[in-house]
Amino acid sequence: MSEPTDFEEFLKRVVTIVFWILLIVPIIVLPLLFFGSEILQALQLLVNANSIFILINKAQNPFLAFELMDSLGQGPCIATATYQPSAGCNPTFFRIVIFPGFTFVALLTLWLGWFERKLAAKVHMRYGPLYAGRISGVLQPIADILKLLGKELIIPAKADKPFFIAVPLLTMGISAALLTLIPLSERVYVVPPASASLGLLVLFAVLGFYPIIILMGAWASSNKFSFIGGLRALHQLVSYEIPWFLAVLGVVVLTSSLDPFQIVRAQSKIWFIVPQFIAAFVFLTATLAELERIPFDLPEADTEIVFGWLTEYGGMFWGILFGLSPFIKLYVFSGLFTILFLGGWLGPAFLPPEIWFILKTFVVITVIMFSRVFNPRIRIDLLIRVGWVYLILLAVINLFIAVGLKAFGVL
Amino acid sequence: MQVAGLKTPMGEEFVLIFYAAVFGVAAGVPVLIIPKIIALKKPSVAKLATFEAGQVPTGESRVRLMMQYYAYLLMFVVFDVISMFLFAWAVAFAGLGLSSALVIAGFLAIILIAMGYALYLAGKRELW
């Protein structure tokens, strides 16, 4: 038996693809043949002159465009004679999967990756992505994804296979779960205002899974660099979690609520970044550490420990763990900063609230990205000291400022 | 006394978050299956070996490391729970008045003194 040649491999792949097509097509084509008339009827009802007119009208008006996005989630209910969502419609699935949830943010983060590379390149006086897409390489992320999809998934012989594969999947799960707790406005949300009363606590609880998953990946990789990186990540995430909580505490004292909706409503007079500027600083610093970004990128320090806990992950594993999940986390933390300190979706009425929220979040993301461009990496003992001593002291001082403001009725 | 933030029962919230997490895991599966189908597979001993900066891997991968910062992990276990107690107070503070702040100030003083001593011991590396 000789080694299979490239041609044989190619034939094998073509046969596999044909097999999958033969398997999947009947599942889609046969129902179309059998139920074609019913589906056509439903489509005719949807593609009615009247409904098209409503859709175009809504899409042109930025205020109604978001309503339109939300109404799409009501799916079959829209196709009734009245074009009004009825009581039985449940947009939850659409909200989790598409609009304020996963797909929307995944597309946003795809573009954020390009933006970060371009921003760093401009500051470093380089070109950055240039060729994919006519305008300064905007299509580079798509080219990257296509490249990653064609790469072999390598699982090291010594690794614990089930845990090694579980880590990217669980990371995706936690990213999607975090997104449910960041509302875009009073009308675009996943967790409804009525049941969001403990929103922040639940967010902390979900975030608590990250160190566990990172350590799991590090241990399953069975690699010295991975394990050192995983331990570093554990120390870092743990050290900055307490200052992060204490920074949020000041805002909770001022609003008497853990509900993101109430916290934003309480900022109609003044954004909390003004009375709570110490908390904002502590929160932003701790956020940089929780996101493992430069100057706190010790878990992935590529000049010291190859790529930290991600060393053995390649191909699409890497795409999920380094391309998608950190950017979703970045969006979540920036969105939380916007909700807590920058007044969320509040703003002058010439733009819809959702646009205000995205704009403010984008400003925070840019600030966080700028810290990467010109900072060195700090030492681990200094990192832990800063987290445990200075940030906690600042956060406690800030807590008493908040208590004073609340008790003497200033805010 | 009615505390504003804590009046609704929560179950729905958890269920939604659980759905979202399940969806996230499910969305990850095809992303890993597509490369499995279309990518060329040519495994070799060198490719499947543990990465050690280009050298032939030696010894066990799961080494025992000196945990010189272990004390901070222990501190986290204690102080993380305590910081959660503070949230319960912070939500109720508007109804409790300034006297509760004095109690919490005493509580924080005790914690910070304990934390300072723990940090002093954690800084002595020869102990760990």
Side-chain angles (χ1 to χ4, degrees):
Chain A
M1 276 296 286
S2 62
E3 288 264 310
T5 59
D6 279 0
F7 182 67
E8 284 171 30
E9 278 289 329
F10 175 73
L11 270 186
K12 233 191 212 170
R13 278 196 291 162
V14 170
V15 170
T16 326
I17 291 169
V18 170
F19 168 75
W20 280 102
I21 288 174
L22 285 181
L23 197 74
I24 290 169
V25 164
I27 301 174
I28 299 163
V29 171
L30 291 181
L32 270 180
L33 288 178
F34 281 110
F35 305 105
S37 58
E38 281 88 344
I39 294 171
L40 267 182
Q41 267 183 0
L43 278 180
Q44 270 173 0
L45 214 61
L46 192 70
V47 188
N48 189 310
N50 195 6
S51 76
I52 285 275
F53 184 67
I54 293 175
L55 287 184
I56 290 174
N57 241 356
K58 278 191 171 178
Q60 279 176 348
N61 186 340
F63 286 86
L64 295 177
F66 287 98
E67 232 170 69
L68 171 73
M69 287 291 283
D70 206 37
S71 70
L72 284 180
Q74 275 131 22
C77 316
I78 273 291
T80 55
T82 55
Y83 304 107
Q84 291 293 321
S86 60
C89 297
N90 190 358
T92 304
F93 180 76
F94 181 83
R95 282 177 176 165
I96 288 176
V97 175
I98 301 182
F99 178 41
F102 198 78
T103 311
F104 167 68
V105 178
L107 289 175
L108 202 70
T109 53
L110 201 69
W111 184 72
L112 279 179
W114 169 82
F115 177 72
E116 177 169 18
R117 288 168 70 178
K118 209 68 190 170
L119 185 80
K122 290 286 176 212
V123 177
H124 294 158
M125 293 160 95
R126 294 181 283 116
Y127 286 115
L130 203 58
Y131 294 110
R134 286 296 171 89
I135 316 150
S136 55
V138 274
L139 297 182
Q140 188 62 44
I142 293 168
D144 285 345
I145 283 187
L146 287 179
K147 180 194 73 180
L148 286 176
L149 278 177
K151 283 202 167 196
E152 184 184 351
L153 290 176
I154 301 167
I155 301 172
K158 274 191 175 177
D160 287 339
K161 208 173 167 189
F163 289 104
F164 190 83
I165 297 172
V167 167
L169 295 178
L170 289 177
T171 315
M172 288 274 277
I174 286 190
S175 306
L178 282 177
L179 291 175
T180 60
L181 292 156
I182 303 292
L184 248 66
S185 75
E186 297 272 354
R187 58 184 180 180
V188 178
Y189 49 76
V190 180
V191 174
S195 62
S197 59
L198 292 179
L200 287 181
L201 277 189
V202 179
L203 192 76
F204 297 159
V206 178
L207 276 175
F209 283 104
Y210 264 108
I212 301 171
I213 288 180
I214 288 176
L215 205 61
M216 195 164 116
W219 184 255
S221 299
S222 178
N223 181 323
K224 287 163 196 156
F225 294 113
S226 293
F227 191 47
I228 294 172
L231 283 182
R232 282 189 184 191
L234 182 68
H235 282 101
Q236 176 172 327
L237 297 186
V238 151
S239 296
Y240 280 78
E241 212 154 278
I242 293 177
W244 198 71
F245 287 162
L246 292 179
V248 178
L249 200 61
V251 175
V252 176
V253 165
L254 286 181
T255 56
S256 306
S257 173
L258 292 164
D259 178 357
F261 294 93
Q262 294 227 12
I263 288 173
V264 170
R265 278 174 215 141
Q267 297 179 61
S268 54
K269 275 184 207 154
I270 186 165
W271 292 357
F272 284 152
I273 196 168
V274 179
Q276 292 282 298
F277 58 95
I278 302 176
F281 170 75
V282 173
F283 188 89
L284 202 61
T285 315
T287 296
L288 282 177
E290 293 274 323
L291 290 170
E292 300 167 21
R293 294 185 80 84
I294 296 172
F296 303 109
D297 69 331
L298 292 110
E300 288 147 13
D302 38 10
T303 45
E304 299 165 15
I305 46 170
V306 192
F307 212 68
W309 64 278
L310 289 165
T311 301
E312 292 288 3
Y313 284 99
M316 209 59 214
F317 289 140
W318 183 88
I320 292 175
L321 287 174
F322 195 71
L324 181 66
S325 143
F327 281 105
I328 290 183
K329 213 173 159 192
L330 172 68
Y331 170 82
V332 168
F333 277 71
S334 311
L336 198 62
F337 187 89
T338 309
I339 287 173
L340 291 173
F341 298 108
L342 294 181
W345 46 83
L346 301 176
F350 61 86
L351 280 179
E354 293 84 5
I355 299 281
W356 276 117
F357 182 82
I358 293 169
L359 278 179
K360 287 174 184 176
T361 309
F362 183 67
V363 170
V364 180
I365 287 175
T366 312
V367 169
I368 290 175
M369 280 179 178
F370 252 105
S371 83
R372 176 207 144 141
V373 175
F374 45 74
N375 271 320
R377 182 179 308 130
I378 81 170
R379 230 167 55 206
I380 188 158
D381 57 331
L382 288 179
L383 171 109
I384 289 178
R385 281 269 132 180
V386 167
W388 278 101
V389 181
Y390 301 108
L391 288 187
I392 286 187
L393 276 183
L394 278 177
V396 169
I397 291 168
N398 169 76
L399 177 64
F400 283 107
I401 293 174
V403 166
L405 287 174
K406 185 76 179 172
F408 298 109
V410 183
L411 275 172
Chain B
M1 184 184 57
Q2 181 77 36
V3 178
L6 296 174
K7 60 191 168 201
T8 47
M10 41 184 316
E12 201 188 338
E13 192 176 43
F14 281 136
V15 172
L16 274 179
I17 292 159
F18 181 71
Y19 284 163
V22 169
F23 164 73
V25 173
V29 172
V31 177
L32 297 185
I33 284 181
I34 291 170
K36 205 87 181 159
I37 295 171
I38 65 171
L40 266 179
K41 278 179 276 296
K42 281 187 180 174
S44 67
V45 179
K47 198 188 267 183
L48 295 180
T50 305
F51 182 81
E52 282 190 12
Q55 307 291 320
V56 177
T58 51
E60 266 297 303
S61 316
R62 283 159 187 164
V63 283
R64 286 174 187 271
L65 296 168
M66 191 175 72
M67 293 282 277
Q68 53 183 343
Y69 300 109
Y70 186 55
Y72 296 101
L73 296 183
L74 289 180
M75 281 166 70
F76 172 76
V77 173
V78 178
F79 293 113
D80 197 38
V81 180
I82 288 175
S83 69
M84 282 298 126
F85 287 145
L86 291 176
F87 272 90
W89 161 76
V91 172
F93 172 68
L96 293 176
L98 201 54
S99 60
S100 75
L102 294 176
V103 177
I104 282 294
F107 182 63
L108 270 177
I110 294 168
I111 290 170
L112 288 181
I113 290 167
M115 193 186 267
Y117 183 61
L119 279 173
Y120 167 71
L121 285 183
K124 289 186 147 192
R125 260 185 241 145
E126 64 273 14
L127 284 178
W128 300 96

